[in-house]
């Protein structure tokens, strides 16, 4: 069973070959996947790879190299799970700021399903279109976890978020943010804290503005997991 504690999460880096029953094959080198525990057999890893990629007509998988790595889960498909416990994570930090459209209705920023993009350890921790392409974005709060304070989104990624109807965009980074998002009326929250405590799946975000606050908009942001 998986765990939401990032200190207890494991991933596996491996090389593999997938052979298809209708001909052809697929090879991976240095591929990484989340695993639910601290170990995994070659057979289980082969099945996990097939589920993650959504492969059909697979005849066999062969794992040629495997290395276990302790690091937070990134959200590999096919590894979804919950420990069944409801957890509330406060994401508001000292640097949390918001760019909110005028007249924002509360239902547009609370109880939103989360699409989590983890870029920790990436050579360039900035989400582009490809980083978002596999995610469900419409009506979701898109959280980009970078571990840095710089830009976290390319202009092209912002275009995709607007095109696909993201409800809110947020990050632990502090920007700058592409101008397209506020122009399109998409709420943006930056400088979040504790994103490493979020599980890859099954989280809902609440960003509650302080009514009548002077100066830049202020919000209290928290996430609820395990419901």
């Amino acid at each position: 069973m998986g765990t939401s504690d990032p200190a207890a999460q494991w991933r596996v880096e491996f090389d593999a070959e997938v052979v298809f029953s209708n001909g052809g094959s697929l090879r991976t080198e240095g591929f990484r996947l989340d695993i639910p525990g601290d170990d995994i057999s070659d057979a289980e890893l082969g099945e996990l790879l097939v589920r993650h990629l959504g492969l059909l007509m697979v005849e066999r998988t062969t794992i040629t190299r495997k290395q276990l790595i302790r690091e937070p889960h990134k959200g590999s498909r096919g590894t979804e799970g919950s420990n069944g416990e409801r957890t509330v994570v406060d994401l508001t930090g000292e640097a949390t700021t918001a760019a909110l459209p005028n007249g924002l209705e509360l239902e547009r920023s609370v109880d939103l399903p989360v699409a989590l993009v983890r870029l920790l350890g990436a050579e360039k921790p900035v989400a582009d279109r490809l980083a978002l392409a596999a995610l469900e974005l419409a009506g979701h709060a898109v959280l980009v976890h970078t571990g840095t304070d710089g830009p976290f989104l390319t202009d092209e990624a912002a275009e995709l978020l607007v095109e696909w109807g993201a409800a809110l965009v947020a990050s632990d980074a502090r920007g700058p943010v592409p101008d397209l998002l506020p122009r399109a009326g998409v709420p943006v929250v930056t400088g979040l804290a504790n994103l490493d405590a979020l599980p890859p799946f099954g989280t809902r975000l609440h960003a509650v503005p302080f009514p009548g606050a002077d100066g830049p908009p202020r919000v209290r942001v928290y996430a609820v997991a395990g419901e």
Side-chain angles (χ1 to χ4, degrees):
M1 179 175 293
T3 174
S4 60
D5 179 5
Q9 292 175 352
W10 289 82
R11 308 186 78 218
V12 60
E13 179 181 293
F14 61 98
D15 302 339
E17 180 183 25
V18 180
V19 176
F20 298 95
S21 59
N22 60 340
S25 63
L26 173 70
R27 290 180 174 83
T28 70
E29 293 183 359
F31 205 88
R32 291 192 182 189
L33 287 175
D34 303 342
I35 59 175
D38 59 3
D39 198 7
I40 189 169
S41 70
D42 287 0
E44 291 170 331
L45 181 54
E47 293 177 3
L48 184 62
L49 176 63
V50 170
R51 290 200 305 273
H52 176 73
L53 296 179
L55 301 176
L56 301 176
M57 301 186 71
V58 173
E59 180 177 308
R60 68 178 183 274
T61 62
T62 303
I63 307 299
T64 57
R65 184 186 66 86
K66 181 174 65 179
Q67 178 183 0
L68 297 171
I69 303 168
R70 187 193 292 270
E71 67 177 7
H73 286 171
K74 299 296 191 290
S76 303
R77 289 187 301 276
T79 63
E80 299 92 333
S82 170
N83 59 12
E85 297 180 1
R86 182 179 185 271
T87 304
V88 178
V89 181
D90 189 355
L91 303 179
T92 310
E94 294 182 359
T96 300
T97 59
L100 307 177
N102 292 330
L104 177 69
E105 297 178 352
L106 193 59
E107 57 264 29
R108 289 186 55 199
S109 64
V110 300
D111 199 27
L112 301 174
V114 168
L116 180 60
V117 185
R118 290 206 194 275
L119 299 177
L120 293 174
E123 183 176 344
K124 185 179 180 182
V126 179
D128 56 16
R129 288 182 71 102
L130 287 178
L132 303 175
L135 300 175
E136 181 68 38
L137 301 176
H140 282 58
V142 180
L143 304 189
V144 183
H145 187 191
T146 71
T148 69
D149 282 334
F152 62 92
L153 206 62
T154 66
D155 290 342
E156 292 76 14
E159 292 175 359
L160 184 69
L161 291 167
V162 172
E163 290 170 9
W164 288 10
L168 180 146
V169 176
S171 178
D172 56 335
R174 287 184 274 185
V177 178
D179 293 338
L180 175 61
L181 293 176
R183 289 204 315 267
V186 179
V188 178
V189 182
T190 57
L192 293 180
N194 301 323
L195 289 184
D196 56 349
L198 296 182
F201 302 99
T203 302
R204 301 188 76 85
L205 184 86
H206 302 259
V208 184
F210 285 83
D214 295 330
R218 297 176 57 205
V219 291
R220 178 68 181 270
V221 187
Y222 63 95
V224 181
E227 290 188 318

